[in-house]
């Protein structure tokens, strides 16, 4: 049996894990909103048409913040279409997804849903067909107390109090030729800077020369970085955009989807290498941010919002006709193999928490999502639901640096570690969470040495393993779930246990 040793010390931390690292994303795409979170007439729907069964699973998942309304959809969306009396709302062509948008669900419905779900809204403004005026006016609609035509419109629409939305994405994937209104880095950088400026002004943010600051809660602005690291403008796009916007923004976004490609020469190894590749991608953007920071002679630190990440295996051709409302699109059914890679991606996000302040699992319901619904029927948890739920629930506080003698294997990205881990220490909750993927074909005896955490007692130990192709479905919703394992014996901060081949494990210790 293989042996690997992992050591960690409570004093050697990477940084604070922001709860927003466990955020998600809902786009007007396929059945994410309609028939996903919103389905008037569904047996579990409330008076607002929000599905109760879906809300329950979202609560179980533990998502703190949700990005909305897109995605590619955003770049053709006029937010004014989605407010006011429903019967008067226009029906539009959605050119991003070749669907029909009824606008039955819009900003006010999203805010109401967030409140019920206890979720922080993360809004996005259209930089494709939208102007900086549209962006500023949406901020006014959401955040201005009243007394102007636009803010009084919100009050007339039923929301007397402002929503006080703090997190705003300035556009979506504007580097992509697939984007409605795609721009060059220069064009987008300038437009995003001006949008940021007027959005802040609409929010009442004013800093006078004498240092007086008006407005108590500044916006957290996210400028669109690269859509992926294979696009030819990466990382130049990020440098140029940041040079235009650095003083105005708080986060640079990045997106990345990984896929299992059975036609590649080393399909499994390449897929299992995703977590290490994600680490490199984050590293390049970190360096780009540092470069611009140095060039601009500023002490301000911009962080990363990894606001779209997931596994997305684009295999099935579109089954639905064009221009359907709420078509079945991107309804990937995840395998155990996907869950295994997914857990590794989460480990990478935790280990990058000093630079990644927000991460959004894309998406939340039906569309490349951990939760699937049947129209008028039930729900089930996909395989990816479990690593998300358990890691988000346990990996809190600070990420701790790990030292490992794991061996590695070759992938199309270079090499990847066979044992992929993340350790989080929550001093307040007195817990240490250890997430471990074994990407090897052999079982591995893992020796874990946790120093400086005080007297640690094992509290829980779950494991996922099985057939790589196994998946959950409506017919068999519990085919792939984690199972509990007996707690290992711990002596003086050291313990050892066996990780089965191709498995993900999560151990929680208490001090
Ligand atoms: O999440 C699906 C799509 O992926 C989003 O609309 C877009 O931003 C990305 O390309």
């Amino acid at each position: 049996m293989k042996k690997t040793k992992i050591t960690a010390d409570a004093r050697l931390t990477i940084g604070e894990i922001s709860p927003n690292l466990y955020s998600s994303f809902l786009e007007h795409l396929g059945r994410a909103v309609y028939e996903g979170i919103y389905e008037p007439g569904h047996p579990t729907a409330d008076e607002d048409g929000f599905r109760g069964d879906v809300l329950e699973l979202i609560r179980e998942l533990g998502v703190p913040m949700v990005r909305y309304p897109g995605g590619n959809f955003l770049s053709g969306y006029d937010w004014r279409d989605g407010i006011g009396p429903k019967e008067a709302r226009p029906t539009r062509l959605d050119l991003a997804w070749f669907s029909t948008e009824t606008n039955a669900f819009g900003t006010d419905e999203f805010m109401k849903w967030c409140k019920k779900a206890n979720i922080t809204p993360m809004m996005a403004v259209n930089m494709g067909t939208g102007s900086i005026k549209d962006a500023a006016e949406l901020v006014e609609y959401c955040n201005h107390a009243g007394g102007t035509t636009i803010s009084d419109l919100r009050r007339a629409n039923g929301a007397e109090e402002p929503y006080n939305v703090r997190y705003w994405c300035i556009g979506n994937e504007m580097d992509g030729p697939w984007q409605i209104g795609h721009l060059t880095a220069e064009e987008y950088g300038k437009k995003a800077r001006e949008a940021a400026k007027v959005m802040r002004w609409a929010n009442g943010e004013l800093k006078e020369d004498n240092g007086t600051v008006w407005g108590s809660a500044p916006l957290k602005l996210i400028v669109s970085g690269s859509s992926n690291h294979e696009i030819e403008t990466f990382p130049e796009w990020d440098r140029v955009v940041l040079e235009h916007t650095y003083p105005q923004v708080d986060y640079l976004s990045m997106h990345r989807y990984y896929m299992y490609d059975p036609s590649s020469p080393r399909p499994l190894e390449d897929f299992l290498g995703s977590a290490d590749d994600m680490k490199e991608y984050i590293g390049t953007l970190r360096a780009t941010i540092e470069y611009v920071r140095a060039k601009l002679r500023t002490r301000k630190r911009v962080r990363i919002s990894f606001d779209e990440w997931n596994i997305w295996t684009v295999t099935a051709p579109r089954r639905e006709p064009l221009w359907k409302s709420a078509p079945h699109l991107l309804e990937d059914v995840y395998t155990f193999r996907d869950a295994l890679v997914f857990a590794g991606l989460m480990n990478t996000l935790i280990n990058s928490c000093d630079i990644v302040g927000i991460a959004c699992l894309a998406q939340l319901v039906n569309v490349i999502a951990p939760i699937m619904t049947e129209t008028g029927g039930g729900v089930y948890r996909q395989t990816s639901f479990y690593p998300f739920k358990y890691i988000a629930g346990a990996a809190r506080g600070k990420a701790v640096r790990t030292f490992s003698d794991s061996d590695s294997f070759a992938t199309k990205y270079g090499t990847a570690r066979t044992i992929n881990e993340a350790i989080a220490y929550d001093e307040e909750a007195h817990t240490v969470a250890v997430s471990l993927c074994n990407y090897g074909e052999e079982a591995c005896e893992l020796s874990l040495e946790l120093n400086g955490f005080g007297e640690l007692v094992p509290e829980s130990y779950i494991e996922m393993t099985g057939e790589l192709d196994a998946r959950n479905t409506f017919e068999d919703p519990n085919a792939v779930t984690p199972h509990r394992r007996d707690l290992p014996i711990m002596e003086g901060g050291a313990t050892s246990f066996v990780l089965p081949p191709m498995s993900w494990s999560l151990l929680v210790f208490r001090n």
Side-chain angles (χ1 to χ4, degrees), residues 28-31 34-35 91-94 97-102 318-329 331 375:
H28 282 248
L29 193 185
R31 299 188 312 123
Y34 306 109
E35 302 175 16
T91 295
R92 305 272 190 212
L93 291 185
D94 163 13
W97 299 106
F98 291 89
S99 314
T100 294
E101 174 57 53
T102 64
R318 187 183 176 116
R319 287 189 287 128
E320 303 270 33
L322 300 190
W323 312 127
K324 197 169 177 281
S325 160
H328 288 258
L329 292 182
E331 297 197 4
T375 310

PDB file of all heavy atoms in Angstrom, residues 28-31 34-35 91-94 97-102 318-329 331 375:
ATOM      1  N   HIS A  28     -30.599  33.457 -15.588  1.00  0.00           N
ATOM      2  CA  HIS A  28     -31.780  33.202 -16.412  1.00  0.00           C
ATOM      3  C   HIS A  28     -31.281  32.339 -17.576  1.00  0.00           C
ATOM      4  O   HIS A  28     -30.871  32.856 -18.621  1.00  0.00           O
ATOM      5  CB  HIS A  28     -32.383  34.506 -16.931  1.00  0.00           C
ATOM      6  CG  HIS A  28     -33.200  35.227 -15.898  1.00  0.00           C
ATOM      7  ND1 HIS A  28     -34.557  35.374 -15.985  1.00  0.00           N
ATOM      8  CD2 HIS A  28     -32.842  35.810 -14.737  1.00  0.00           C
ATOM      9  CE1 HIS A  28     -35.007  36.040 -14.929  1.00  0.00           C
ATOM     10  NE2 HIS A  28     -33.971  36.332 -14.152  1.00  0.00           N
ATOM     11  N   LEU A  29     -31.246  31.075 -17.348  1.00  0.00           N
ATOM     12  CA  LEU A  29     -30.700  30.109 -18.324  1.00  0.00           C
ATOM     13  C   LEU A  29     -31.424  28.794 -18.090  1.00  0.00           C
ATOM     14  O   LEU A  29     -31.423  28.294 -16.951  1.00  0.00           O
ATOM     15  CB  LEU A  29     -29.197  29.947 -18.074  1.00  0.00           C
ATOM     16  CG  LEU A  29     -28.277  29.263 -19.078  1.00  0.00           C
ATOM     17  CD1 LEU A  29     -26.883  29.125 -18.532  1.00  0.00           C
ATOM     18  CD2 LEU A  29     -28.762  28.000 -19.693  1.00  0.00           C
ATOM     19  N   GLY A  30     -32.015  28.256 -19.113  1.00  0.00           N
ATOM     20  CA  GLY A  30     -32.681  26.965 -18.986  1.00  0.00           C
ATOM     21  C   GLY A  30     -33.688  26.990 -17.857  1.00  0.00           C
ATOM     22  O   GLY A  30     -34.489  27.917 -17.734  1.00  0.00           O
ATOM     23  N   ARG A  31     -33.594  25.965 -16.971  1.00  0.00           N
ATOM     24  CA  ARG A  31     -34.562  25.863 -15.877  1.00  0.00           C
ATOM     25  C   ARG A  31     -33.928  26.204 -14.521  1.00  0.00           C
ATOM     26  O   ARG A  31     -34.282  25.625 -13.508  1.00  0.00           O
ATOM     27  CB  ARG A  31     -35.158  24.461 -15.848  1.00  0.00           C
ATOM     28  CG  ARG A  31     -35.915  24.072 -17.127  1.00  0.00           C
ATOM     29  CD  ARG A  31     -36.646  22.739 -16.955  1.00  0.00           C
ATOM     30  NE  ARG A  31     -35.773  21.734 -16.378  1.00  0.00           N
ATOM     31  CZ  ARG A  31     -36.044  21.074 -15.241  1.00  0.00           C
ATOM     32  NH1 ARG A  31     -37.147  21.289 -14.584  1.00  0.00           N
ATOM     33  NH2 ARG A  31     -35.192  20.172 -14.788  1.00  0.00           N
ATOM     34  N   TYR A  34     -36.760  29.598 -13.725  1.00  0.00           N
ATOM     35  CA  TYR A  34     -38.105  29.051 -13.966  1.00  0.00           C
ATOM     36  C   TYR A  34     -38.063  27.528 -13.870  1.00  0.00           C
ATOM     37  O   TYR A  34     -37.227  26.887 -14.526  1.00  0.00           O
ATOM     38  CB  TYR A  34     -38.608  29.486 -15.350  1.00  0.00           C
ATOM     39  CG  TYR A  34     -38.547  31.003 -15.518  1.00  0.00           C
ATOM     40  CD1 TYR A  34     -37.610  31.602 -16.358  1.00  0.00           C
ATOM     41  CD2 TYR A  34     -39.404  31.828 -14.800  1.00  0.00           C
ATOM     42  CE1 TYR A  34     -37.549  32.986 -16.503  1.00  0.00           C
ATOM     43  CE2 TYR A  34     -39.348  33.219 -14.922  1.00  0.00           C
ATOM     44  CZ  TYR A  34     -38.422  33.790 -15.777  1.00  0.00           C
ATOM     45  OH  TYR A  34     -38.357  35.155 -15.891  1.00  0.00           O
ATOM     46  N   GLU A  35     -38.917  26.984 -13.023  1.00  0.00           N
ATOM     47  CA  GLU A  35     -38.963  25.537 -12.760  1.00  0.00           C
ATOM     48  C   GLU A  35     -37.796  25.073 -11.882  1.00  0.00           C
ATOM     49  O   GLU A  35     -37.669  23.897 -11.575  1.00  0.00           O
ATOM     50  CB  GLU A  35     -39.022  24.692 -14.043  1.00  0.00           C
ATOM     51  CG  GLU A  35     -40.216  25.043 -14.904  1.00  0.00           C
ATOM     52  CD  GLU A  35     -40.256  24.337 -16.242  1.00  0.00           C
ATOM     53  OE1 GLU A  35     -39.540  23.349 -16.438  1.00  0.00           O
ATOM     54  OE2 GLU A  35     -41.027  24.803 -17.100  1.00  0.00           O
ATOM     55  N   THR A  91     -42.164  40.159 -23.075  1.00  0.00           N
ATOM     56  CA  THR A  91     -41.521  38.872 -23.361  1.00  0.00           C
ATOM     57  C   THR A  91     -40.460  39.142 -24.426  1.00  0.00           C
ATOM     58  O   THR A  91     -40.747  39.798 -25.429  1.00  0.00           O
ATOM     59  CB  THR A  91     -42.568  37.860 -23.865  1.00  0.00           C
ATOM     60  OG1 THR A  91     -43.468  37.625 -22.784  1.00  0.00           O
ATOM     61  CG2 THR A  91     -41.951  36.556 -24.303  1.00  0.00           C
ATOM     62  N   ARG A  92     -39.252  38.673 -24.187  1.00  0.00           N
ATOM     63  CA  ARG A  92     -38.130  39.004 -25.089  1.00  0.00           C
ATOM     64  C   ARG A  92     -37.421  37.746 -25.585  1.00  0.00           C
ATOM     65  O   ARG A  92     -37.441  36.711 -24.919  1.00  0.00           O
ATOM     66  CB  ARG A  92     -37.080  39.827 -24.328  1.00  0.00           C
ATOM     67  CG  ARG A  92     -37.605  41.067 -23.668  1.00  0.00           C
ATOM     68  CD  ARG A  92     -37.567  42.239 -24.609  1.00  0.00           C
ATOM     69  NE  ARG A  92     -37.844  43.474 -23.900  1.00  0.00           N
ATOM     70  CZ  ARG A  92     -38.448  44.511 -24.437  1.00  0.00           C
ATOM     71  NH1 ARG A  92     -38.835  44.484 -25.709  1.00  0.00           N
ATOM     72  NH2 ARG A  92     -38.662  45.600 -23.734  1.00  0.00           N
ATOM     73  N   LEU A  93     -36.720  37.922 -26.682  1.00  0.00           N
ATOM     74  CA  LEU A  93     -35.793  36.881 -27.118  1.00  0.00           C
ATOM     75  C   LEU A  93     -34.548  36.990 -26.258  1.00  0.00           C
ATOM     76  O   LEU A  93     -34.020  38.096 -26.068  1.00  0.00           O
ATOM     77  CB  LEU A  93     -35.382  37.097 -28.577  1.00  0.00           C
ATOM     78  CG  LEU A  93     -36.442  36.889 -29.662  1.00  0.00           C
ATOM     79  CD1 LEU A  93     -35.783  37.035 -31.042  1.00  0.00           C
ATOM     80  CD2 LEU A  93     -37.096  35.517 -29.546  1.00  0.00           C
ATOM     81  N   ASP A  94     -34.075  35.860 -25.748  1.00  0.00           N
ATOM     82  CA  ASP A  94     -32.796  35.842 -25.035  1.00  0.00           C
ATOM     83  C   ASP A  94     -31.762  35.348 -26.045  1.00  0.00           C
ATOM     84  O   ASP A  94     -31.709  34.151 -26.361  1.00  0.00           O
ATOM     85  CB  ASP A  94     -32.906  34.926 -23.813  1.00  0.00           C
ATOM     86  CG  ASP A  94     -31.539  34.528 -23.260  1.00  0.00           C
ATOM     87  OD1 ASP A  94     -30.527  35.146 -23.656  1.00  0.00           O
ATOM     88  OD2 ASP A  94     -31.491  33.590 -22.449  1.00  0.00           O
ATOM     89  N   TRP A  97     -28.986  32.482 -25.059  1.00  0.00           N
ATOM     90  CA  TRP A  97     -29.313  31.058 -24.958  1.00  0.00           C
ATOM     91  C   TRP A  97     -30.424  30.648 -25.925  1.00  0.00           C
ATOM     92  O   TRP A  97     -30.998  29.570 -25.784  1.00  0.00           O
ATOM     93  CB  TRP A  97     -29.672  30.709 -23.510  1.00  0.00           C
ATOM     94  CG  TRP A  97     -28.519  30.986 -22.601  1.00  0.00           C
ATOM     95  CD1 TRP A  97     -28.412  32.021 -21.723  1.00  0.00           C
ATOM     96  CD2 TRP A  97     -27.276  30.265 -22.518  1.00  0.00           C
ATOM     97  NE1 TRP A  97     -27.194  31.984 -21.084  1.00  0.00           N
ATOM     98  CE2 TRP A  97     -26.469  30.920 -21.553  1.00  0.00           C
ATOM     99  CE3 TRP A  97     -26.763  29.135 -23.165  1.00  0.00           C
ATOM    100  CZ2 TRP A  97     -25.186  30.468 -21.230  1.00  0.00           C
ATOM    101  CZ3 TRP A  97     -25.483  28.702 -22.831  1.00  0.00           C
ATOM    102  CH2 TRP A  97     -24.720  29.368 -21.878  1.00  0.00           C
ATOM    103  N   PHE A  98     -30.759  31.513 -26.874  1.00  0.00           N
ATOM    104  CA  PHE A  98     -31.784  31.213 -27.885  1.00  0.00           C
ATOM    105  C   PHE A  98     -33.076  30.725 -27.219  1.00  0.00           C
ATOM    106  O   PHE A  98     -33.667  29.730 -27.621  1.00  0.00           O
ATOM    107  CB  PHE A  98     -31.254  30.206 -28.917  1.00  0.00           C
ATOM    108  CG  PHE A  98     -30.179  30.794 -29.795  1.00  0.00           C
ATOM    109  CD1 PHE A  98     -28.851  30.737 -29.435  1.00  0.00           C
ATOM    110  CD2 PHE A  98     -30.518  31.449 -30.972  1.00  0.00           C
ATOM    111  CE1 PHE A  98     -27.868  31.307 -30.226  1.00  0.00           C
ATOM    112  CE2 PHE A  98     -29.539  32.019 -31.765  1.00  0.00           C
ATOM    113  CZ  PHE A  98     -28.208  31.953 -31.400  1.00  0.00           C
ATOM    114  N   SER A  99     -33.469  31.441 -26.181  1.00  0.00           N
ATOM    115  CA  SER A  99     -34.673  31.091 -25.434  1.00  0.00           C
ATOM    116  C   SER A  99     -35.599  32.296 -25.423  1.00  0.00           C
ATOM    117  O   SER A  99     -35.236  33.374 -25.900  1.00  0.00           O
ATOM    118  CB  SER A  99     -34.323  30.753 -23.983  1.00  0.00           C
ATOM    119  OG  SER A  99     -33.224  29.896 -23.930  1.00  0.00           O
ATOM    120  N   THR A 100     -36.785  32.089 -24.837  1.00  0.00           N
ATOM    121  CA  THR A 100     -37.704  33.210 -24.660  1.00  0.00           C
ATOM    122  C   THR A 100     -37.754  33.561 -23.181  1.00  0.00           C
ATOM    123  O   THR A 100     -37.913  32.676 -22.334  1.00  0.00           O
ATOM    124  CB  THR A 100     -39.100  32.830 -25.189  1.00  0.00           C
ATOM    125  OG1 THR A 100     -38.978  32.661 -26.603  1.00  0.00           O
ATOM    126  CG2 THR A 100     -40.111  33.933 -24.913  1.00  0.00           C
ATOM    127  N   GLU A 101     -37.566  34.829 -22.897  1.00  0.00           N
ATOM    128  CA  GLU A 101     -37.567  35.307 -21.511  1.00  0.00           C
ATOM    129  C   GLU A 101     -38.902  35.992 -21.238  1.00  0.00           C
ATOM    130  O   GLU A 101     -39.225  36.999 -21.858  1.00  0.00           O
ATOM    131  CB  GLU A 101     -36.396  36.285 -21.312  1.00  0.00           C
ATOM    132  CG  GLU A 101     -36.372  36.958 -19.965  1.00  0.00           C
ATOM    133  CD  GLU A 101     -36.347  35.975 -18.795  1.00  0.00           C
ATOM    134  OE1 GLU A 101     -35.484  35.094 -18.788  1.00  0.00           O
ATOM    135  OE2 GLU A 101     -37.212  36.108 -17.898  1.00  0.00           O
ATOM    136  N   THR A 102     -39.658  35.453 -20.284  1.00  0.00           N
ATOM    137  CA  THR A 102     -40.983  36.026 -19.989  1.00  0.00           C
ATOM    138  C   THR A 102     -40.902  37.204 -19.018  1.00  0.00           C
ATOM    139  O   THR A 102     -41.865  37.942 -18.867  1.00  0.00           O
ATOM    140  CB  THR A 102     -41.897  34.969 -19.344  1.00  0.00           C
ATOM    141  OG1 THR A 102     -41.302  34.601 -18.077  1.00  0.00           O
ATOM    142  CG2 THR A 102     -42.055  33.748 -20.219  1.00  0.00           C
ATOM    143  N   ARG A 318     -28.086  20.137 -28.091  1.00  0.00           N
ATOM    144  CA  ARG A 318     -29.329  20.744 -27.608  1.00  0.00           C
ATOM    145  C   ARG A 318     -30.526  19.883 -28.036  1.00  0.00           C
ATOM    146  O   ARG A 318     -30.652  19.517 -29.206  1.00  0.00           O
ATOM    147  CB  ARG A 318     -29.420  22.156 -28.210  1.00  0.00           C
ATOM    148  CG  ARG A 318     -30.569  22.981 -27.691  1.00  0.00           C
ATOM    149  CD  ARG A 318     -30.599  24.329 -28.401  1.00  0.00           C
ATOM    150  NE  ARG A 318     -31.762  25.074 -27.963  1.00  0.00           N
ATOM    151  CZ  ARG A 318     -31.701  26.221 -27.300  1.00  0.00           C
ATOM    152  NH1 ARG A 318     -30.551  26.771 -27.038  1.00  0.00           N
ATOM    153  NH2 ARG A 318     -32.798  26.833 -26.928  1.00  0.00           N
ATOM    154  N   ARG A 319     -31.386  19.563 -27.070  1.00  0.00           N
ATOM    155  CA  ARG A 319     -32.565  18.734 -27.362  1.00  0.00           C
ATOM    156  C   ARG A 319     -33.794  19.581 -27.612  1.00  0.00           C
ATOM    157  O   ARG A 319     -34.783  19.127 -28.151  1.00  0.00           O
ATOM    158  CB  ARG A 319     -32.872  17.816 -26.169  1.00  0.00           C
ATOM    159  CG  ARG A 319     -31.936  16.675 -25.964  1.00  0.00           C
ATOM    160  CD  ARG A 319     -32.476  15.736 -24.891  1.00  0.00           C
ATOM    161  NE  ARG A 319     -32.368  16.315 -23.544  1.00  0.00           N
ATOM    162  CZ  ARG A 319     -33.375  16.399 -22.698  1.00  0.00           C
ATOM    163  NH1 ARG A 319     -34.583  15.972 -23.036  1.00  0.00           N
ATOM    164  NH2 ARG A 319     -33.200  16.912 -21.496  1.00  0.00           N
ATOM    165  N   GLU A 320     -33.754  20.791 -27.147  1.00  0.00           N
ATOM    166  CA  GLU A 320     -34.938  21.643 -27.152  1.00  0.00           C
ATOM    167  C   GLU A 320     -34.962  22.565 -28.369  1.00  0.00           C
ATOM    168  O   GLU A 320     -33.915  23.002 -28.827  1.00  0.00           O
ATOM    169  CB  GLU A 320     -34.940  22.508 -25.892  1.00  0.00           C
ATOM    170  CG  GLU A 320     -34.888  21.712 -24.604  1.00  0.00           C
ATOM    171  CD  GLU A 320     -36.267  21.380 -24.090  1.00  0.00           C
ATOM    172  OE1 GLU A 320     -37.171  21.176 -24.926  1.00  0.00           O
ATOM    173  OE2 GLU A 320     -36.446  21.330 -22.871  1.00  0.00           O
ATOM    174  N   PRO A 321     -36.149  22.882 -28.871  1.00  0.00           N
ATOM    175  CA  PRO A 321     -36.205  23.825 -29.991  1.00  0.00           C
ATOM    176  C   PRO A 321     -35.770  25.222 -29.561  1.00  0.00           C
ATOM    177  O   PRO A 321     -35.773  25.538 -28.363  1.00  0.00           O
ATOM    178  CB  PRO A 321     -37.690  23.834 -30.361  1.00  0.00           C
ATOM    179  CG  PRO A 321     -38.406  23.316 -29.171  1.00  0.00           C
ATOM    180  CD  PRO A 321     -37.463  22.429 -28.428  1.00  0.00           C
ATOM    181  N   LEU A 322     -35.387  26.031 -30.539  1.00  0.00           N
ATOM    182  CA  LEU A 322     -35.006  27.409 -30.222  1.00  0.00           C
ATOM    183  C   LEU A 322     -36.225  28.178 -29.713  1.00  0.00           C
ATOM    184  O   LEU A 322     -37.358  27.854 -30.037  1.00  0.00           O
ATOM    185  CB  LEU A 322     -34.464  28.128 -31.465  1.00  0.00           C
ATOM    186  CG  LEU A 322     -33.229  27.540 -32.134  1.00  0.00           C
ATOM    187  CD1 LEU A 322     -32.687  28.519 -33.182  1.00  0.00           C
ATOM    188  CD2 LEU A 322     -32.146  27.189 -31.140  1.00  0.00           C
ATOM    189  N   TRP A 323     -35.954  29.171 -28.934  1.00  0.00           N
ATOM    190  CA  TRP A 323     -36.937  30.152 -28.445  1.00  0.00           C
ATOM    191  C   TRP A 323     -37.979  29.579 -27.487  1.00  0.00           C
ATOM    192  O   TRP A 323     -39.020  30.172 -27.294  1.00  0.00           O
ATOM    193  CB  TRP A 323     -37.618  30.896 -29.607  1.00  0.00           C
ATOM    194  CG  TRP A 323     -36.644  31.401 -30.616  1.00  0.00           C
ATOM    195  CD1 TRP A 323     -36.675  31.174 -31.959  1.00  0.00           C
ATOM    196  CD2 TRP A 323     -35.488  32.216 -30.378  1.00  0.00           C
ATOM    197  NE1 TRP A 323     -35.611  31.785 -32.586  1.00  0.00           N
ATOM    198  CE2 TRP A 323     -34.869  32.430 -31.636  1.00  0.00           C
ATOM    199  CE3 TRP A 323     -34.895  32.763 -29.245  1.00  0.00           C
ATOM    200  CZ2 TRP A 323     -33.684  33.192 -31.783  1.00  0.00           C
ATOM    201  CZ3 TRP A 323     -33.726  33.512 -29.377  1.00  0.00           C
ATOM    202  CH2 TRP A 323     -33.145  33.713 -30.639  1.00  0.00           C
ATOM    203  N   LYS A 324     -37.671  28.436 -26.894  1.00  0.00           N
ATOM    204  CA  LYS A 324     -38.565  27.893 -25.886  1.00  0.00           C
ATOM    205  C   LYS A 324     -38.302  28.676 -24.582  1.00  0.00           C
ATOM    206  O   LYS A 324     -37.191  29.139 -24.336  1.00  0.00           O
ATOM    207  CB  LYS A 324     -38.206  26.419 -25.683  1.00  0.00           C
ATOM    208  CG  LYS A 324     -39.265  25.613 -24.980  1.00  0.00           C
ATOM    209  CD  LYS A 324     -38.917  24.122 -25.094  1.00  0.00           C
ATOM    210  CE  LYS A 324     -39.918  23.284 -24.329  1.00  0.00           C
ATOM    211  NZ  LYS A 324     -39.730  23.244 -22.906  1.00  0.00           N
ATOM    212  N   SER A 325     -39.331  28.789 -23.768  1.00  0.00           N
ATOM    213  CA  SER A 325     -39.128  29.400 -22.456  1.00  0.00           C
ATOM    214  C   SER A 325     -38.732  28.292 -21.480  1.00  0.00           C
ATOM    215  O   SER A 325     -39.318  27.211 -21.505  1.00  0.00           O
ATOM    216  CB  SER A 325     -40.436  30.074 -22.042  1.00  0.00           C
ATOM    217  OG  SER A 325     -40.457  30.261 -20.673  1.00  0.00           O
ATOM    218  N   ALA A 326     -37.732  28.543 -20.660  1.00  0.00           N
ATOM    219  CA  ALA A 326     -37.215  27.555 -19.695  1.00  0.00           C
ATOM    220  C   ALA A 326     -36.931  26.194 -20.333  1.00  0.00           C
ATOM    221  O   ALA A 326     -37.457  25.155 -19.888  1.00  0.00           O
ATOM    222  CB  ALA A 326     -38.177  27.405 -18.518  1.00  0.00           C
ATOM    223  N   PRO A 327     -36.092  26.150 -21.355  1.00  0.00           N
ATOM    224  CA  PRO A 327     -35.769  24.848 -21.974  1.00  0.00           C
ATOM    225  C   PRO A 327     -34.818  24.037 -21.074  1.00  0.00           C
ATOM    226  O   PRO A 327     -34.170  24.594 -20.189  1.00  0.00           O
ATOM    227  CB  PRO A 327     -35.045  25.254 -23.260  1.00  0.00           C
ATOM    228  CG  PRO A 327     -34.439  26.591 -22.944  1.00  0.00           C
ATOM    229  CD  PRO A 327     -35.348  27.261 -21.950  1.00  0.00           C
ATOM    230  N   HIS A 328     -34.745  22.740 -21.338  1.00  0.00           N
ATOM    231  CA  HIS A 328     -33.770  21.911 -20.612  1.00  0.00           C
ATOM    232  C   HIS A 328     -32.405  22.175 -21.224  1.00  0.00           C
ATOM    233  O   HIS A 328     -32.093  21.652 -22.284  1.00  0.00           O
ATOM    234  CB  HIS A 328     -34.118  20.434 -20.748  1.00  0.00           C
ATOM    235  CG  HIS A 328     -35.322  20.033 -19.965  1.00  0.00           C
ATOM    236  ND1 HIS A 328     -35.251  19.382 -18.763  1.00  0.00           N
ATOM    237  CD2 HIS A 328     -36.633  20.228 -20.201  1.00  0.00           C
ATOM    238  CE1 HIS A 328     -36.466  19.176 -18.296  1.00  0.00           C
ATOM    239  NE2 HIS A 328     -37.325  19.685 -19.161  1.00  0.00           N
ATOM    240  N   LEU A 329     -31.606  22.989 -20.597  1.00  0.00           N
ATOM    241  CA  LEU A 329     -30.264  23.294 -21.113  1.00  0.00           C
ATOM    242  C   LEU A 329     -29.223  23.024 -20.037  1.00  0.00           C
ATOM    243  O   LEU A 329     -29.463  23.321 -18.855  1.00  0.00           O
ATOM    244  CB  LEU A 329     -30.158  24.770 -21.527  1.00  0.00           C
ATOM    245  CG  LEU A 329     -30.958  25.262 -22.725  1.00  0.00           C
ATOM    246  CD1 LEU A 329     -30.658  26.735 -22.993  1.00  0.00           C
ATOM    247  CD2 LEU A 329     -30.659  24.439 -23.971  1.00  0.00           C
ATOM    248  N   GLU A 331     -28.152  20.522 -18.501  1.00  0.00           N
ATOM    249  CA  GLU A 331     -28.572  19.765 -17.319  1.00  0.00           C
ATOM    250  C   GLU A 331     -27.637  18.567 -17.116  1.00  0.00           C
ATOM    251  O   GLU A 331     -28.061  17.406 -17.209  1.00  0.00           O
ATOM    252  CB  GLU A 331     -30.052  19.379 -17.420  1.00  0.00           C
ATOM    253  CG  GLU A 331     -30.919  20.633 -17.442  1.00  0.00           C
ATOM    254  CD  GLU A 331     -32.390  20.422 -17.131  1.00  0.00           C
ATOM    255  OE1 GLU A 331     -32.779  19.286 -16.803  1.00  0.00           O
ATOM    256  OE2 GLU A 331     -33.146  21.401 -17.212  1.00  0.00           O
ATOM    257  N   THR A 375     -40.082  19.265 -13.180  1.00  0.00           N
ATOM    258  CA  THR A 375     -41.165  20.238 -13.275  1.00  0.00           C
ATOM    259  C   THR A 375     -42.431  19.639 -12.658  1.00  0.00           C
ATOM    260  O   THR A 375     -42.844  18.552 -13.046  1.00  0.00           O
ATOM    261  CB  THR A 375     -41.401  20.612 -14.754  1.00  0.00           C
ATOM    262  OG1 THR A 375     -40.130  20.937 -15.321  1.00  0.00           O
ATOM    263  CG2 THR A 375     -42.343  21.791 -14.877  1.00  0.00           C
TER     264      THR A 375
END
